[in-house]
Every structure is written in structure tokens, then in C-alpha cells.
Amino acid sequence: FLALYLIINGRKIKHLSSIETGPDMQAPSIAIIVAVRNEEYALKEALTSVCNLDYNNYKVLVINDRSTDNTGQILSEMQAQYNHLSVINIDMLPEGWMGKNHALYTGSTSSHEDYMLFTDADVVYHKDVLKKAIHYCVKNNLDHLTILPGIISPSSRLNSVIMTFVIMLTALQRPWAAKIKTSKASMGVGAFNLVKREIYERAGTHKAIGMRPDDDLKLAASIKAAGGNADVLYGRKEIQVEWYTSVKEFINGLMKNIFSGFKYNAFLAAGGALGTLLFFVLPIPLVLIFGNNMARIFVICTVIFQLTLYGNMPGSNGKWWYAFLSIYAGIIMVYIILKATITNLYNGGIYWRDTFYSLKELRKNK
């Protein structure tokens, strides 16, 4: 039933590729704000795509947050190449902030444009993305637009795990309901959070979520709570990101923020692990081994719905057969939830980008 619920509601989300722009399109000013820290691996390709967008009223502001690799050199070379690209270097992290949140806030206070697009340093854009996105915002009087990117990876195992995580996140956030004013549902992603400056300031800016590792989701929630009009689009072909390169990297990456999704509560985290186990891991093998014929028919129906669900999730590129790895992916997700919970409680906090944040600090901003 959950699979069917997600399939039906997922179809309510429009695709960026279907958005058309006309010659009379408004072009409000936009500041694209990118927080970077030791991003030499993917920075040049991603930032080049940002600097070559087909839009005539935007600037790019990159906040270099204490990088120690070749990121600074790459930024200097690109700044010399693109006159609409500016770089701000941060040498120290103030108390009460996570690095990325502070960097994005610094970008917001160093710009004055009508809109701000908060994006990550490894996202590759198609040239028409900004033009279509801002046209959709103006036409629908939106304060906040999230575009869900296509996630690329050479590994089928990794893709199956990522798609399982996306399914869990989608069920929790209900992105199709973000545009409903009376709903508390909201959705934000690091790849594309386009925000009108007025509502951003009314929602408290990144100051209100300064210690949140899931800043993209919480920014969306704060804007919705402030009365902003929001919507979500699929952009799997127009915006692409190689989120992680291996299952091990994916596991390590989620160590920093999965516990925050359970409000730093061990009981909620245990419930999340149990729910994941019951939905993704146990039903099929248990029923096939111990169930009667009627139960096996339900299992076959479940598999069909799962295949359809995986094939329609953003980032899957229609590869429905990822569902056959859902048991493996479910086990990985259970492992991540339990390991993050135990590790964070044992350490009394989380490590993110070589900085330690205590649970006491984090819980103040939950």
C-alpha cells in the first residue's frame, strides 16, 4: 500500500522539462550561492555549468569555507575567467554554526538580488534550468522552488541503496504536498533550493537552522512555516549530481545527518530502523518460506508495485530492476540508522568536515 501511495502521489509532481518559457518572460535578479569545502574533485565541471547558464540577470557567489586542498586555486582560475563569479574566503567558523550553514548565510548577506539559489558544489546544470525555474516561480507566485535532481552513479548496488533512501525520504516529506498551503509538508535538497529573499529573511535565514546538518530540508520547512508558497519539480535530466561514489562513502556521508532526522531521539531512530526492516527486508523472504498461497500472491503484488515504484523514482532513470536489490539496500539503511545512533550517542555528537558538534548544541536547534 505504501508503494502504491508513493506511485500515485509521485505523478502529481511536474517535470522541469515540461516548463516552457516565452519571449516576454520576467528576469528578476538571482544570486547563485555555492558553499564549498575541499571540493577539488567535482568543482570545476559543476561550477562551469553554473557560470554558463542561459540567463541574463544572475551572479555566482562561491563561499570557500576553510578549504585545504586545491579548491582555492581552482576558484581563482575560474574567477579570472568569469566576470559574474565572485569568491568569498572564510578562515574561521563562529560558535553556534555548522560550516555549510554559515557559508550559505554569508553568501546571503553578501548579496542583494531578488532571489537566491542555494546549491552544492558538485551539481551539473543544463543551460535552461534557471530560465525555466524562475519562469515557473514568477508564473505561480512561488517563494521557494525545489528541483529534485537526477542522481548518477556507475554502481548498481549504490543506486539501489540511494533509491531506497529516496523512497524513505519521499514517504516522510511528501513533496507533492509542499504546494498545499494547509499542509505542513515541505521539501528541500542541496542541489537546488531557489528562494525569494523576502521570505528567506522572514523565515529567519540560515541563522534559524545554524546547527542543523539537514539544512536543505529545514530551510524548506522554515519557509513553509513562515507562510511561503512552495513547490517541487522533477529535474532528473536537467540537474545531475554524483552524490556518492561507493556504498561505503554513502554510509559515511549519512553518519552526519541521519540521526537528526529522528530528532536525536534513540527511540525514534529504533522505530525507524524497525520500520525499514519490516518494509524492505523481512516480508518477502519470510512469506516465501513460511507463508501460505494467499500470502505469496500478496508478495507477488508487492514485488510488482516495488518494481514500478523504483522505476519511477527521480534519479532511477527508469531502472526498475533496482527493486531486486531492495532487501540488500534495506539492510544497509538499517545499518546506517543503528550505527549513526549508537556512534553519535557514544561520541556525544557528530563529526562533519573535520569539525565536532556536540549533541547538546545540536539539540538546541532541533
Side-chain angles (χ1 to χ4, degrees):
F1 285 113
L2 178 59
L4 184 60
Y5 169 77
L6 294 175
I7 292 168
I8 292 172
N9 284 291
R11 294 183 178 276
K12 297 177 182 178
I13 301 175
K14 295 181 180 180
H15 291 260
L16 183 66
S17 57
S18 67
I19 307 301
E20 297 182 358
T21 59
D24 58 343
M25 188 194 90
Q26 295 183 43
S29 58
I30 303 173
I32 300 180
I33 301 173
V34 189
V36 304
R37 178 171 167 82
N38 296 338
E39 306 282 359
E40 63 180 359
Y41 172 71
L43 178 60
K44 189 167 185 179
E45 179 187 8
L47 199 53
T48 298
S49 73
V50 171
C51 290
N52 285 287
L53 291 169
D54 184 16
Y55 192 79
N56 60 12
N57 193 13
Y58 82 104
K59 74 174 185 180
V60 183
L61 188 56
V62 181
I63 316 301
N64 184 14
D65 180 24
R66 300 165 290 147
S67 293
T68 56
D69 62 359
N70 291 324
T71 294
Q73 181 179 343
I74 294 171
L75 290 176
S76 295
E77 294 171 356
M78 296 196 71
Q79 190 173 11
Q81 183 179 356
Y82 298 101
N83 57 18
H84 60 305
L85 168 64
S86 301
V87 178
I88 295 177
N89 293 300
I90 293 177
D91 299 319
M92 185 180 67
L93 179 64
E95 187 177 348
W97 283 97
M98 282 194 162
K100 181 184 176 184
N101 297 336
H102 176 251
L104 295 176
Y105 175 72
T106 300
S108 72
T109 58
S110 303
S111 59
H112 61 271
E113 282 69 20
D114 300 324
Y115 288 82
M116 293 171 290
L117 170 57
F118 298 110
T119 185
D120 292 335
D122 54 357
V123 184
V124 177
Y125 288 84
H126 186 273
K127 290 183 66 174
D128 292 337
V129 168
L130 200 56
K131 182 190 295 183
K132 289 186 174 184
I134 200 65
H135 175 71
Y136 189 76
C137 279
V138 172
K139 182 179 179 181
N140 294 280
N141 191 32
L142 297 181
D143 299 301
H144 176 224
L145 176 64
T146 295
I147 299 181
L148 305 176
I151 302 171
I152 57 176
S153 168
S155 167
S156 296
R157 284 195 307 136
L158 175 59
N159 275 326
S160 71
V161 175
I162 290 176
M163 288 305 103
T164 301
F165 172 76
V166 170
I167 288 169
M168 294 170 64
L169 184 65
T170 302
L172 178 67
Q173 297 297 131
R174 298 176 295 125
W176 56 84
K179 60 186 174 185
I180 302 174
K181 291 287 289 185
T182 54
S183 171
K184 293 183 179 181
S186 63
M187 186 66 179
V189 293
F192 195 99
N193 264 336
L194 181 62
V195 182
K196 188 178 287 187
R197 183 176 296 275
E198 180 184 354
I199 192 69
Y200 172 75
E201 293 176 350
R202 193 195 316 164
T205 74
H206 275 87
K207 276 186 176 181
I209 54 172
M211 289 294 289
R212 291 293 313 197
D214 51 351
D215 58 284
D216 45 8
L217 293 173
K218 290 305 174 184
L219 177 63
S222 64
I223 290 171
K224 189 70 179 287
N229 296 321
D231 205 351
V232 179
L233 298 175
Y234 286 140
R236 64 182 72 173
K237 294 181 179 179
E238 295 84 3
I239 303 175
Q240 294 192 328
V241 57
E242 186 176 10
W243 196 20
Y244 294 104
T245 59
S246 68
V247 173
K248 182 179 179 180
E249 189 177 300
F250 176 83
I251 292 172
N252 291 334
L254 262 64
M255 285 296 107
K256 70 180 183 296
N257 56 15
I258 197 76
F259 196 30
S260 68
F262 299 104
K263 301 180 180 179
Y264 304 108
N265 184 306
F267 293 104
L268 291 178
L274 179 61
T276 303
L277 196 68
L278 292 175
F279 183 77
F280 290 102
V281 180
L282 293 181
I284 293 176
L286 285 181
V287 170
L288 291 178
I289 296 171
F290 301 108
N292 58 27
N293 289 335
M294 182 60 71
R296 287 172 182 147
I297 291 173
F298 273 101
V299 163
I300 292 172
C301 293
T302 299
V303 170
I304 292 171
F305 281 122
Q306 280 191 326
L307 292 171
T308 305
L309 176 61
Y310 274 77
N312 284 275
M313 292 306 296
S316 72
N317 296 319
K319 295 180 179 178
W320 48 267
W321 48 268
Y322 288 159
F324 288 124
L325 294 170
S326 62
I327 294 177
Y328 163 78
I331 292 171
I332 293 295
M333 289 307 305
V334 171
Y335 172 76
I336 291 173
I337 294 170
L338 294 179
K339 182 181 178 181
T341 301
I342 295 169
T343 302
N344 294 163
L345 289 174
Y346 178 80
N347 291 332
I350 66 172
Y351 286 93
W352 189 12
R353 300 285 183 130
D354 303 321
T355 304
F356 178 77
Y357 304 95
S358 72
L359 283 177
K360 184 177 179 181
E361 290 179 290
L362 295 170
R363 282 170 171 152
K364 289 179 182 178
N365 203 193
K366 68 180 181 179

